[in-house]
Amino acid sequence: SDIFHSPGAVLPIGKKICPYLATVHDLGFKRFPQLGRKLDIAYYNFVFYNLVKKADLIITDSLAIENEIKEYYRIDASRLRVVPLGIDDFYLQREEQEYLDEIKTKYRLVGRKIVLTNSGHSVRKNIPTLVEVCSLIPDCVLVVAGAIARINPPANQSNNIIWLGYR
């Protein structure tokens, strides 16, 4: 029989025609509602109401999120599973030193301490504070990768911050 898997916690609306499996990575909208827009919070509340009602199995990648799901929703523990995130061996391979030196030169990183953040930068990720703190440390450079659309780089941006976005 078919199974519908949602890696982003959104399940179909309407009549259920097969077993549903959903993956939940966090409940930030529940834990920190003050950090989200009201429309986004309403959307996620609807999505999770549908998910808890219909999912045959909910997978999460940590015990903390499993506990939050239990805390916020009445759900039988038999419908929850923790599956820790894995990593492909590809990501464990070291780059050639020549390539690393080229990248360090390109982004003026030679001899500097590097802080890298790579994520979707919602308000709850607190990237503006990270930017502010790293701006105060002279021998440190902050490299901001990923979605930065909602963050306005400071007008007086120092050389301590590199905004990569997606590359």
Side-chain angles (χ1 to χ4, degrees), residues 88-100:
D88 190 286
D89 287 342
F90 167 82
Y91 295 102
L92 300 175
Q93 298 172 17
R94 287 194 57 96
E95 296 289 345
E96 296 292 327
Q97 190 60 47
E98 183 179 326
Y99 174 74
L100 295 174

Side-chain angles (χ1 to χ4, degrees), residues 104-161:
K104 285 181 179 181
T105 300
K106 177 179 179 179
Y107 291 105
R108 303 175 319 279
L109 303 173
V110 176
R112 300 173 84 180
K113 295 176 184 162
I114 303 164
V115 176
L116 169 68
T117 180
N118 180 23
S119 68
H121 301 303
S122 69
V123 173
R124 64 190 167 84
K125 303 287 183 171
N126 210 3
I127 302 302
T129 300
L130 185 60
V131 167
E132 185 178 326
V133 169
C134 287
S135 294
L136 301 173
I137 304 171
D139 61 344
C140 176
V141 62
L142 171 63
V143 179
V144 182
I148 59 175
R150 288 188 177 177
I151 296 176
N152 296 321
N156 60 346
Q157 176 180 332
S158 72
N159 289 330
N160 292 35
I161 304 168

Side-chain angles (χ1 to χ4, degrees), residues 3-40:
I3 296 175
F4 180 91
H5 174 236
S6 172
V10 179
L11 293 178
I13 300 169
K15 184 180 177 186
K16 186 174 168 182
I17 59 172
C18 65
Y20 288 163
L21 169 66
T23 302
V24 174
H25 295 285
D26 72 72
L27 292 177
F29 73 98
K30 280 287 198 197
R31 179 69 65 199
F32 305 107
Q34 71 279 12
L35 297 178
R37 297 182 310 185
K38 288 181 181 181
L39 185 61
D40 292 340

